[in-house]
Amino acid sequence: MQKKTLQEVREIAETQPICSIPGLTFMSALSDKDGNVLHIVPGQGHTYYEKPEYRILTNFSPYKEDRTSHPWMGWDRYQKAEELLESADDDFDVDDCFHVLQKVSQTVCPTEVSMVFDVAERTVYWCERRDWENRKQYYLASAKMLNN
């Protein structure tokens, strides 16, 4: 397995074609320890965000917006998340992020993993299968995985 920095992955996305299985798109939201984010949607595009306040990625392609419709599509959930984040207080924290994720989770094609990256703490938090009370966390600085 090769290790790549976010900048190395960004260079690949900017210079080489990124493909998926026909009819199936594997979207990626990658970030580094500094809070930079790279969204990649194979065959459709990529966008690099330098230390954004927040970024949202749901099941739909942000490059298609609401032009494609399936019961599990995420355009409506994306808009709801954006609305919640735009109206958030300045003291918005990891718990608030999970509240947003809970509000936009889905059951038609059940949400499997929900993640929050806390740039200040250099920690990734996630829960699986909408088990909001059982979060895991990974400290990037110490590379140690813990359970809450």
Side-chain angles (χ1 to χ4, degrees):
M1 181 165 106
Q2 291 183 330
K3 293 182 180 183
K4 301 270 186 220
T5 66
L6 184 65
Q7 294 306 320
E8 289 170 325
V9 174
R10 179 183 178 193
E11 184 177 319
I12 291 168
E14 290 176 343
T15 61
Q16 300 176 31
I18 306 294
C19 304
S20 290
I21 297 169
L24 182 65
T25 299
F26 295 102
M27 297 181 290
S28 299
L30 308 171
S31 56
D32 62 14
K33 64 181 176 56
D34 298 316
N36 300 307
V37 176
L38 177 63
H39 280 180
I40 301 172
V41 181
Q44 295 177 30
H46 69 278
T47 307
Y48 177 77
Y49 306 92
E50 191 170 322
K51 297 184 182 183
E53 187 174 347
Y54 62 84
R55 290 306 320 148
I56 303 167
L57 186 65
T58 60
N59 294 53
F60 87 102
S61 166
Y63 301 104
K64 288 185 177 181
E65 294 180 336
D66 64 349
R67 293 189 305 267
T68 303
S69 181
H70 297 286
W72 46 265
M73 292 300 280
W75 178 243
D76 58 332
R77 292 181 298 113
Y78 181 96
Q79 290 177 308
K80 178 67 173 176
E82 190 170 48
E83 173 188 315
L84 292 167
L85 292 169
E86 286 293 324
S87 64
D89 294 330
D90 289 339
D91 62 350
F92 191 83
D93 62 11
V94 169
D95 289 333
D96 295 319
C97 284
F98 275 101
H99 174 76
V100 170
L101 290 169
Q102 188 172 1
K103 290 285 188 191
V104 299
S105 69
Q106 61 179 346
T107 56
V108 173
C109 181
T111 299
E112 287 293 319
V113 177
S114 297
M115 297 182 133
V116 173
F117 176 43
D118 184 330
V119 177
E121 297 295 323
R122 295 179 59 167
T123 303
V124 178
Y125 298 87
W126 74 94
C127 69
E128 298 171 6
R129 292 175 289 286
R130 298 168 313 202
D131 184 0
W132 307 108
E133 303 306 315
N134 186 20
R135 293 184 204 157
K136 296 177 175 86
Q137 55 190 13
Y138 186 83
Y139 295 102
L140 297 177
S142 66
K144 183 178 179 184
M145 191 164 125
L146 303 172
N147 288 321
N148 274 354

